[in-house]
Amino acid sequence: MVNVRLIEQDYPDDPYMNMAVDEAIFQEVSKGKSQPTMRFYRNRSAAVLGCFQLADEELDLEYAKANNIKVVKRFTGGGAVYHDMGALNYSIISPDLFGIGMNVERLFSGMMNGAVRSLALASVPEIKNSMNDITSNGKKVFGAAATLKKGALMFHATMLIQTDLNILSSVLKVPGEKLKDKGIKSIRERVANIKELCGKDSQKIHDSLLIGYSTFYGFKTVPGKLTEDEESLAKRLYEGKYSKQEWNMGSELIHIE
Amino acid sequence: MHVNTIYKAPKGIIRISAEVNDNKMSNVRITGDFFMVPEDSILTLEKYLEGTKLEYTSVSDAVNKFYLSGVMTPMVTKLDLVTAIMGVVVGERKTN
């Protein structure tokens, strides 16, 4: 049985640091210096962009500013999401213990299996999943992003549990093409909170994920903390990348190792 | 002439922004909610499109060359990318 380090350390008021920590762990795992890790974190109020997105194309920036919503970009692709304390996020960062190889679709498929199993354990009804989304009763409750490089894979996801969906639908600007494709008029019609669907709160979903993933993949989670190298790299990533306007608001790709 | 266009692939919005002069593209910028691994490959694709003629075969050649590096774009095919880029032909135009 593989031991997986469980990190619960997060920075709810500093989404830039939350992102910096995810990337620091990924880089350290890829160097063979950090253990396989499962991490849970939350952000008090943040709009989180995929790395190929532009803030002004995806977000109502005036609304974000007026409502004190911080804008931060991930180092993975995919779409924009809104995080508040009613959204639970987790990351799985690991060497390839799962036979995934250099195949992103297989990575999504493998990690989504664990997520679906966990939400089913929590009695989330009518679960269906696509490559990186999960719907319950036809409404999106879960979105994931992933990447990999030699020596490491990274999967992180956001679950809507008790999120303010009015704020979510006000700050995210979803292109008409995407809404039309799904046959809806606004993003508000597309999303739902897990708490309303099955009564489970954030702690219950957190526990289901721990059980779901550990039993599915046969690993044991062991509470741990960040290594000194991870802390130091996260600080450098924070200062040189995630707290920078050029990264969060622009289209510049920034590499720090 | 600056052109913006948007294309919805099965899994991902692909937006292209480019200058088009004499039917050739420059300053090409590709954004959207797709996945691409390695992520910084996007710069290679943008570079390959620099100076490329807005003709199907030229764009298709550039995209095929891009995929030779082993880049992965889950749920977005070569054809999606070519179609997104060719959308520049009919995209929203803004005179500089």
Side-chain angles (χ1 to χ4, degrees):
Chain A
M1 185 175 279
V2 179
N3 279 353
V4 170
R5 176 180 59 159
L6 176 64
I7 300 276
E8 305 271 7
Q9 184 177 337
D10 70 348
Y11 306 85
D13 292 304
D14 198 344
Y16 315 112
M17 186 52 100
N18 269 333
M19 287 299 128
V21 166
D22 259 9
E23 185 176 347
I25 298 172
F26 180 59
Q27 286 200 32
E28 291 295 299
V29 167
S30 79
K31 291 177 207 159
K33 289 166 65 186
S34 287
Q35 291 174 262
T37 301
M38 184 167 191
R39 173 177 180 239
F40 287 91
Y41 61 96
R42 288 188 294 176
N43 286 313
R44 194 165 313 281
S45 186
V48 183
L49 296 163
C51 66
F52 304 116
Q53 294 187 300
L54 286 178
D56 62 358
E57 286 178 346
E58 310 297 337
L59 305 176
D60 182 335
L61 290 173
E62 275 185 30
Y63 181 88
K65 196 175 174 187
N67 290 277
N68 204 22
I69 300 168
K70 291 172 178 163
V71 176
V72 60
K73 197 179 271 190
R74 300 187 295 269
F75 67 108
T76 50
V81 289
Y82 171 67
H83 290 177
D84 62 10
M85 295 302 274
L88 180 64
N89 315 298
Y90 72 97
S91 311
I92 293 179
I93 309 163
S94 169
D96 185 10
L97 308 169
F98 313 98
I100 282 160
M102 289 299 285
N103 185 323
V104 188
E105 290 194 24
R106 207 180 299 151
L107 168 57
F108 271 114
S109 154
M111 291 295 145
M112 289 296 283
N113 282 339
V116 166
R117 181 186 173 100
S118 303
L119 295 186
L121 273 175
S123 307
V124 175
E126 294 290 323
I127 297 170
K128 283 191 182 149
N129 73 292
S130 67
M131 182 182 80
N132 66 323
D133 291 340
I134 294 176
T135 60
S136 168
N137 286 346
K139 307 271 188 185
K140 183 171 169 177
V141 295
F142 178 109
T147 189
L148 47 75
K149 62 178 176 179
K150 199 167 180 295
L153 55 86
M154 156 107 212
F155 175 89
H156 47 190
T158 296
M159 285 160 294
L160 299 173
I161 298 172
Q162 283 178 282
T163 287
D164 188 325
L165 300 179
N166 290 325
I167 296 181
L168 177 150
S169 51
S170 299
V171 73
L172 302 181
K173 284 198 300 196
V174 177
E177 284 80 356
K178 199 161 181 170
L179 295 174
K180 197 170 141 196
D181 197 50
K182 299 187 185 304
I184 51 173
K185 290 197 179 89
S186 77
I187 188 176
R188 182 68 186 78
E189 290 177 49
R190 163 86 175 129
V191 292
N193 273 316
I194 288 173
K195 179 87 184 335
E196 283 161 33
L197 291 161
C198 69
K200 301 292 189 327
D201 62 11
S202 188
Q203 188 60 47
K204 290 259 167 50
I205 298 299
H206 168 282
D207 296 347
S208 294
L209 281 161
L210 276 182
I211 297 166
Y213 271 97
S214 350
T215 52
F216 193 75
Y217 291 110
F219 63 62
K220 183 184 168 203
T221 50
V222 180
K225 54 183 190 177
L226 297 175
T227 65
E228 277 181 28
D229 285 346
E230 287 167 341
E231 296 257 19
S232 146
L233 178 53
K235 188 164 178 279
R236 292 204 303 285
L237 284 161
Y238 179 87
E239 285 166 359
K241 181 171 178 176
Y242 289 102
S243 63
K244 296 279 185 199
Q245 289 276 306
E246 298 90 311
W247 170 256
N248 293 318
M249 308 301 283
S251 61
E252 209 172 292
L253 292 175
I254 300 175
H255 286 285
I256 292 172
E257 292 186 1
Chain B
M1 179 89 70
H2 191 89
V3 184
N4 288 309
T5 185
I6 183 165
Y7 172 75
K8 169 84 181 75
K11 190 78 203 181
I13 291 281
I14 305 170
R15 299 175 193 263
I16 312 283
S17 150
E19 293 292 326
V20 180
N21 292 300
D22 298 331
N23 206 34
K24 283 186 179 174
M25 289 182 286
S26 59
N27 295 325
V28 182
R29 181 61 49 81
I30 303 169
T31 58
D33 64 359
F34 50 89
F35 292 95
M36 180 180 287
V37 176
E39 284 76 10
D40 54 8
S41 305
I42 194 83
L43 301 175
T44 308
L45 178 58
E46 288 170 353
K47 194 176 79 184
Y48 284 170
L49 292 169
E50 194 70 23
T52 296
K53 273 190 183 174
L54 254 183
E55 289 171 357
Y56 191 88
T57 47
S58 307
V59 169
S60 186
D61 285 351
V63 170
N64 279 326
K65 186 175 158 193
F66 167 64
Y67 274 97
L68 290 178
S69 66
V71 65
M72 291 169 279
T73 54
M75 302 292 280
V76 170
T77 63
K78 284 181 195 175
L79 183 59
D80 286 326
L81 268 181
V82 173
T83 309
I85 298 159
M86 286 307 294
V88 170
V89 174
V90 292
E92 181 196 345
R93 285 166 148 66
K94 278 183 192 155
T95 309
N96 292 331

